Each structure stands twice: as structure tokens, then as C-alpha cells.
Amino acid sequence: MNRMDRVFEQLRQLDRKILTLYFPIGDPILKDDCAWAERYFENGCTVLEIGLPNDDPVLDGKTVADSMARALANTGLEEVFRRIKRIRARCPDQVLQIMVYAHVIENMGLEAFAAACHECDVDGVLSPNIPPDRVAAVDAALEQYNIYNLRFSPYYVTYSALQDLKANARGYIFQQAVDGATGPQSTVSPQIGKNVRLLKESGIKTPVLAGFGISNASQVKQALSMGADGVIVGSATISHIIQGDGEAFIRSLYEATAGGQP
């Protein structure tokens, strides 16, 4: 069984929500990737979303783009995969996911990329800009290793996107919560609720997580009150690590999703 299914079912039985947090692997702000991965989980993270650095993060805002630039100056892709292996060795039962842009997969070669993910023993891959005519191939390449090709649901859900989600969504669905690039927002869009209802009323059982622009515990609570099964927080996590209160920030997000102790 994929770890996502096992862990998410455990949370469902506890009536807890899913907390996916962006992990800027290779960024020197972390100093020790493995130690920080453990801190994420110790403070309540459910899914470690490991961002593979690249030089053209078209969907990301300045905070993530700057992080990726620092990571690229600090390390290379082969070393990043070695670091993910070390994280898996330290966190054998936790959910690890890769976030990667489509051109990185194509540059590596799809089969080589899937094999590298398998060697790292990750549970899912999110590539939000895979061309539609390549999605099935990515599905097949990852499926042979029981790795989920996670689906990205756009801010305005189209009929074709909805049909794909109904047929193929596994693990969780990343529901875009901002009409644009990532980065902190002052408010949480009510479109989240509309999209969550649309997906669930269509019969989709896969958890729906709101991401893009969610940057504090209050916004987490707002997104969850709209029916989301969890949230994804990226830029704000990086910012708080830089500020020196990363662990406290992660715990505040966890408490907003569940209350109490992880």
C-alpha cells in the first residue's frame, strides 16, 4: 500500500486534516536537510513536498524562486536525489512527495526520472505543468513503482479536468486556491469552497487539499471551513525558516488543522 493511503486513512479515522508543506531541499537555509525533514514531521507535517530546484519555476512566486536559485547554486540534481534517499532512511514511515516541473522530467528522461523516484522511495510526484498529451505516460511510468502522479486542479475547474480527476486522481488533489502564481495572499478565496463542492459532488473520494497563497493558521482554518481535506503551504514555510521560527510556524499550522499535539 502506498504510504499516502495508509497515513490519510489514519487521519480520517482521527478526524484530522492533511498538512502538506513545501521542503526547499538543497537551499542552504536548511543547513541539514535530514534534520529539518525530521523537524517538519515532529511538528505536525503530514506530507513533505520536496521541491526539485530548477531555473524556471514558472508557477512559483519570488520566495520559492529565490529558494530554488540558492539551491541550484549550492547543489545539483543528482545530489538532491541522494539527499532524498537519506531523508527516507531517517523517515521510513512518513509521506515523501516530489514537486517538479515538467521540463525537469523531460530533461532527465521519463523512465530515468521514475527510476530515480523509486530509488528514493517517494510516495508521490506533483508536476503541475505536464502537457496533457504526456500525462498518461507519466502515470504509467510512476505506476510501475506504486508512485502516485498527483493531480493539480485549476482555479477554474474545466470539464476535461474534472473527468481526469474522477478517473485518475490518487493520493490527493492539489486544488489551486489562487488565480495566479504562489505566494502569500491577504485573503482566502471563496472559490476554494466552490471547487471542493464541485469535486466532491461529482463523486470524487480522493482528498482535496487547498494550496497557493495560504500562509498562516487563520487562513488554514478558513480553507478547511470551506470543506478542504487539508492544505498545502509553501512560500510562508520558507519565509519562517529564514526568520528563525520555522518549527513554531509548522506547529501553528498543525494546530489549525487538528488541535493538540502531533
Side-chain angles (χ1 to χ4, degrees), residues 82-164:
R82 284 193 288 269
R83 293 184 185 197
I84 298 173
K85 286 184 184 180
R86 291 196 288 270
I87 291 172
R88 171 53 77 204
R90 294 266 286 269
C91 305
D93 300 319
Q94 306 287 2
V95 181
L96 304 183
Q97 169 213 322
I98 283 174
M99 201 293 286
V100 59
Y101 282 93
H103 69 273
V104 176
I105 298 176
E106 296 301 332
N107 289 344
M108 285 188 66
L110 178 53
E111 293 301 328
F113 172 77
C117 290
H118 172 60
E119 290 173 7
C120 296
D121 196 15
V122 299
D123 306 293
V125 170
L126 178 73
S127 184
N129 66 338
I130 298 175
D133 61 355
R134 290 288 288 160
V135 173
V138 176
D139 283 345
L142 294 175
E143 185 178 352
Q144 64 182 320
Y145 300 117
N146 192 32
I147 299 171
Y148 291 152
N149 181 24
L150 302 171
R151 288 316 200 250
F152 183 87
S153 178
Y155 187 74
Y156 297 109
V157 181
T158 63
Y159 175 81
S160 60
L162 183 61
Q163 296 311 303
D164 176 64

Side-chain angles (χ1 to χ4, degrees), residues 17-201:
K17 304 301 183 181
I18 300 165
L19 178 60
T20 296
L21 297 177
Y22 184 83
F23 187 79
I25 195 164
D27 188 334
I29 66 169
L30 296 178
K31 297 182 180 178
D32 184 330
D33 292 309
C34 288
W36 259 107
E38 290 179 321
R39 290 170 191 151
Y40 269 61
F41 290 123
E42 288 167 356
N43 286 284
C45 175
T46 310
V47 179
L48 197 72
E49 184 186 43
I50 303 169
L52 297 192
N54 75 91
D55 58 3
D56 189 23
V58 293
L59 292 175
D60 287 299
K62 187 176 188 304
T63 300
V64 174
D66 288 350
S67 173
M68 286 192 173
R70 290 191 299 268
L72 287 173
N74 184 55
T75 189
L77 200 56
E78 289 185 8
E79 172 59 22
V80 164
F81 277 109
R82 284 193 288 269
R83 293 184 185 197
I84 298 173
K85 286 184 184 180
R86 291 196 288 270
I87 291 172
R88 171 53 77 204
R90 294 266 286 269
C91 305
D93 300 319
Q94 306 287 2
V95 181
L96 304 183
Q97 169 213 322
I98 283 174
M99 201 293 286
V100 59
Y101 282 93
H103 69 273
V104 176
I105 298 176
E106 296 301 332
N107 289 344
M108 285 188 66
L110 178 53
E111 293 301 328
F113 172 77
C117 290
H118 172 60
E119 290 173 7
C120 296
D121 196 15
V122 299
D123 306 293
V125 170
L126 178 73
S127 184
N129 66 338
I130 298 175
D133 61 355
R134 290 288 288 160
V135 173
V138 176
D139 283 345
L142 294 175
E143 185 178 352
Q144 64 182 320
Y145 300 117
N146 192 32
I147 299 171
Y148 291 152
N149 181 24
L150 302 171
R151 288 316 200 250
F152 183 87
S153 178
Y155 187 74
Y156 297 109
V157 181
T158 63
Y159 175 81
S160 60
L162 183 61
Q163 296 311 303
D164 176 64
L165 293 171
K166 289 169 66 174
N168 300 303
R170 303 290 185 272
Y172 73 80
I173 295 168
F174 188 134
Q175 178 57 59
Q176 184 178 0
V178 172
D179 187 15
T182 64
Q185 305 291 316
S186 59
T187 61
V188 176
S189 170
Q191 185 70 23
I192 294 173
K194 295 177 183 178
N195 288 332
V196 171
R197 284 193 299 274
L198 174 63
L199 269 54
K200 292 183 179 295
E201 288 174 359

